[in-house]
Amino acid sequence: MAKSTRGGRGAAGNEETAAASGKAAAEAGSAVAVGLQDIAQAWVDYAQRVMDRTTEATESLLKCRSLNDMLGVQAELMRGHLQAFLDQSTKLAEITNRMAARSIDAIGEAAGQARADKNRR
């Protein structure tokens, strides 16, 4: 009985596709891991800035001689915290977008490679 060579190519093609999918998954996972590290570092930096600003405000409060001085220090502290939060939100959105784009690019490249391999057959 004659063996079909077509079945052999199909199996090899499936193995290539699986390898490309595995590589894409690894690259996408790597992009996510890097993004999560960036997010964690951004939160650490944010917490440090807030602590530093709070410490400075506490020192300024101790030097206040009137209620108006104290209210001014507190208002400045609140403004600074709000601005830091808005900056942090922007930074996190940029990191998340970059992480998603890298993951999608890795998967897209693998899909393109699989399509090219399929068309060559």
Side-chain angles (χ1 to χ4, degrees):
M1 199 188 288
K3 284 189 176 180
S4 171
T5 56
R6 189 174 201 177
R9 282 188 215 143
N14 288 341
E15 290 173 9
E16 290 171 4
T17 302
S21 296
K23 182 180 176 191
E27 289 176 8
S30 177
V32 169
V34 168
L36 291 175
Q37 287 176 339
D38 291 346
I39 288 171
Q41 185 61 50
W43 278 113
V44 168
D45 294 344
Y46 171 74
Q48 184 65 46
R49 284 192 311 271
V50 168
M51 286 176 39
D52 291 345
R53 192 173 291 116
T54 302
T55 301
E56 291 170 7
T58 301
E59 291 170 0
S60 295
L61 282 172
L62 292 173
K63 296 175 185 174
C64 289
R65 300 212 179 259
S66 69
L67 181 62
N68 284 338
D69 292 344
M70 185 174 64
L71 292 175
V73 169
Q74 287 180 331
E76 184 59 34
L77 177 63
M78 292 283 87
R79 255 191 307 276
H81 282 329
L82 180 59
Q83 186 61 50
F85 177 76
L86 294 173
D87 293 344
Q88 180 71 6
S89 297
T90 301
K91 188 174 189 175
L92 290 173
E94 289 170 355
I95 291 170
T96 303
N97 285 337
R98 195 171 49 241
M99 179 176 60
R102 288 178 184 161
S103 296
I104 290 169
D105 288 346
I107 293 168
E109 286 176 19
Q113 182 67 36
R115 249 184 263 117
D117 290 346
K118 187 176 181 180
N119 289 339
R120 277 188 235 140
R121 289 183 225 153

mmCIF file with all atom_site columns, all heavy atoms in Angstrom, residues 22 39 42 51 69 82 84 104 119:
data_model
loop_
_atom_site.group_PDB
_atom_site.id
_atom_site.type_symbol
_atom_site.label_atom_id
_atom_site.label_alt_id
_atom_site.label_comp_id
_atom_site.label_asym_id
_atom_site.label_entity_id
_atom_site.label_seq_id
_atom_site.pdbx_PDB_ins_code
_atom_site.Cartn_x
_atom_site.Cartn_y
_atom_site.Cartn_z
_atom_site.occupancy
_atom_site.B_iso_or_equiv
_atom_site.pdbx_formal_charge
_atom_site.auth_seq_id
_atom_site.auth_comp_id
_atom_site.auth_asym_id
_atom_site.auth_atom_id
_atom_site.pdbx_PDB_model_num
ATOM 1  N N   . GLY A 1 22  ? 4.140  28.377 20.337 1.00 0.00 ? 22  GLY A N   1
ATOM 2  C CA  . GLY A 1 22  ? 4.865  28.340 21.610 1.00 0.00 ? 22  GLY A CA  1
ATOM 3  C C   . GLY A 1 22  ? 5.812  29.515 21.744 1.00 0.00 ? 22  GLY A C   1
ATOM 4  O O   . GLY A 1 22  ? 5.914  30.138 22.801 1.00 0.00 ? 22  GLY A O   1
ATOM 5  N N   . ILE A 1 39  ? 5.454  48.190 36.010 1.00 0.00 ? 39  ILE A N   1
ATOM 6  C CA  . ILE A 1 39  ? 4.337  48.666 36.826 1.00 0.00 ? 39  ILE A CA  1
ATOM 7  C C   . ILE A 1 39  ? 4.701  48.624 38.302 1.00 0.00 ? 39  ILE A C   1
ATOM 8  O O   . ILE A 1 39  ? 4.449  49.585 39.047 1.00 0.00 ? 39  ILE A O   1
ATOM 9  C CB  . ILE A 1 39  ? 3.063  47.850 36.537 1.00 0.00 ? 39  ILE A CB  1
ATOM 10 C CG1 . ILE A 1 39  ? 2.515  48.206 35.154 1.00 0.00 ? 39  ILE A CG1 1
ATOM 11 C CG2 . ILE A 1 39  ? 2.002  48.068 37.615 1.00 0.00 ? 39  ILE A CG2 1
ATOM 12 C CD1 . ILE A 1 39  ? 1.387  47.315 34.674 1.00 0.00 ? 39  ILE A CD1 1
ATOM 13 N N   . ALA A 1 42  ? 7.022  51.423 39.044 1.00 0.00 ? 42  ALA A N   1
ATOM 14 C CA  . ALA A 1 42  ? 6.311  52.705 39.035 1.00 0.00 ? 42  ALA A CA  1
ATOM 15 C C   . ALA A 1 42  ? 5.579  52.926 40.354 1.00 0.00 ? 42  ALA A C   1
ATOM 16 O O   . ALA A 1 42  ? 5.575  54.037 40.891 1.00 0.00 ? 42  ALA A O   1
ATOM 17 C CB  . ALA A 1 42  ? 5.331  52.752 37.858 1.00 0.00 ? 42  ALA A CB  1
ATOM 18 N N   . MET A 1 51  ? 5.751  59.609 50.131 1.00 0.00 ? 51  MET A N   1
ATOM 19 C CA  . MET A 1 51  ? 6.339  59.622 51.472 1.00 0.00 ? 51  MET A CA  1
ATOM 20 C C   . MET A 1 51  ? 7.268  60.818 51.657 1.00 0.00 ? 51  MET A C   1
ATOM 21 O O   . MET A 1 51  ? 7.236  61.482 52.699 1.00 0.00 ? 51  MET A O   1
ATOM 22 C CB  . MET A 1 51  ? 7.086  58.309 51.739 1.00 0.00 ? 51  MET A CB  1
ATOM 23 C CG  . MET A 1 51  ? 6.171  57.145 51.991 1.00 0.00 ? 51  MET A CG  1
ATOM 24 S SD  . MET A 1 51  ? 6.988  55.538 52.207 1.00 0.00 ? 51  MET A SD  1
ATOM 25 C CE  . MET A 1 51  ? 8.427  55.910 53.130 1.00 0.00 ? 51  MET A CE  1
ATOM 26 N N   . ASP A 1 69  ? -1.043 79.620 57.669 1.00 0.00 ? 69  ASP A N   1
ATOM 27 C CA  . ASP A 1 69  ? 0.171  78.919 57.221 1.00 0.00 ? 69  ASP A CA  1
ATOM 28 C C   . ASP A 1 69  ? -0.082 77.418 57.144 1.00 0.00 ? 69  ASP A C   1
ATOM 29 O O   . ASP A 1 69  ? 0.296  76.747 56.186 1.00 0.00 ? 69  ASP A O   1
ATOM 30 C CB  . ASP A 1 69  ? 1.347  79.186 58.162 1.00 0.00 ? 69  ASP A CB  1
ATOM 31 C CG  . ASP A 1 69  ? 1.853  80.619 58.125 1.00 0.00 ? 69  ASP A CG  1
ATOM 32 O OD1 . ASP A 1 69  ? 1.508  81.344 57.171 1.00 0.00 ? 69  ASP A OD1 1
ATOM 33 O OD2 . ASP A 1 69  ? 2.597  80.994 59.060 1.00 0.00 ? 69  ASP A OD2 1
ATOM 34 N N   . LEU A 1 82  ? -2.418 65.004 44.568 1.00 0.00 ? 82  LEU A N   1
ATOM 35 C CA  . LEU A 1 82  ? -3.317 64.825 43.431 1.00 0.00 ? 82  LEU A CA  1
ATOM 36 C C   . LEU A 1 82  ? -2.540 64.818 42.125 1.00 0.00 ? 82  LEU A C   1
ATOM 37 O O   . LEU A 1 82  ? -2.770 63.965 41.256 1.00 0.00 ? 82  LEU A O   1
ATOM 38 C CB  . LEU A 1 82  ? -4.387 65.919 43.404 1.00 0.00 ? 82  LEU A CB  1
ATOM 39 C CG  . LEU A 1 82  ? -5.385 65.837 42.252 1.00 0.00 ? 82  LEU A CG  1
ATOM 40 C CD1 . LEU A 1 82  ? -6.135 64.505 42.266 1.00 0.00 ? 82  LEU A CD1 1
ATOM 41 C CD2 . LEU A 1 82  ? -6.351 67.005 42.310 1.00 0.00 ? 82  LEU A CD2 1
ATOM 42 N N   . ALA A 1 84  ? 0.621  64.031 41.718 1.00 0.00 ? 84  ALA A N   1
ATOM 43 C CA  . ALA A 1 84  ? 1.404  62.792 41.672 1.00 0.00 ? 84  ALA A CA  1
ATOM 44 C C   . ALA A 1 84  ? 0.527  61.616 41.260 1.00 0.00 ? 84  ALA A C   1
ATOM 45 O O   . ALA A 1 84  ? 0.949  60.753 40.477 1.00 0.00 ? 84  ALA A O   1
ATOM 46 C CB  . ALA A 1 84  ? 2.052  62.522 43.029 1.00 0.00 ? 84  ALA A CB  1
ATOM 47 N N   . ILE A 1 104 ? 0.759  41.796 21.581 1.00 0.00 ? 104 ILE A N   1
ATOM 48 C CA  . ILE A 1 104 ? 0.004  41.656 20.329 1.00 0.00 ? 104 ILE A CA  1
ATOM 49 C C   . ILE A 1 104 ? 0.954  41.536 19.149 1.00 0.00 ? 104 ILE A C   1
ATOM 50 O O   . ILE A 1 104 ? 0.723  40.738 18.233 1.00 0.00 ? 104 ILE A O   1
ATOM 51 C CB  . ILE A 1 104 ? -0.971 42.836 20.161 1.00 0.00 ? 104 ILE A CB  1
ATOM 52 C CG1 . ILE A 1 104 ? -2.088 42.711 21.199 1.00 0.00 ? 104 ILE A CG1 1
ATOM 53 C CG2 . ILE A 1 104 ? -1.541 42.897 18.755 1.00 0.00 ? 104 ILE A CG2 1
ATOM 54 C CD1 . ILE A 1 104 ? -2.964 43.934 21.314 1.00 0.00 ? 104 ILE A CD1 1
ATOM 55 N N   . ASN A 1 119 ? 1.340  29.032 3.276  1.00 0.00 ? 119 ASN A N   1
ATOM 56 C CA  . ASN A 1 119 ? 1.282  29.399 1.862  1.00 0.00 ? 119 ASN A CA  1
ATOM 57 C C   . ASN A 1 119 ? 2.407  28.755 1.063  1.00 0.00 ? 119 ASN A C   1
ATOM 58 O O   . ASN A 1 119 ? 2.272  28.506 -0.133 1.00 0.00 ? 119 ASN A O   1
ATOM 59 C CB  . ASN A 1 119 ? 1.318  30.919 1.695  1.00 0.00 ? 119 ASN A CB  1
ATOM 60 C CG  . ASN A 1 119 ? 0.042  31.567 2.144  1.00 0.00 ? 119 ASN A CG  1
ATOM 61 O OD1 . ASN A 1 119 ? -1.008 30.932 2.229  1.00 0.00 ? 119 ASN A OD1 1
ATOM 62 N ND2 . ASN A 1 119 ? 0.117  32.847 2.476  1.00 0.00 ? 119 ASN A ND2 1
#
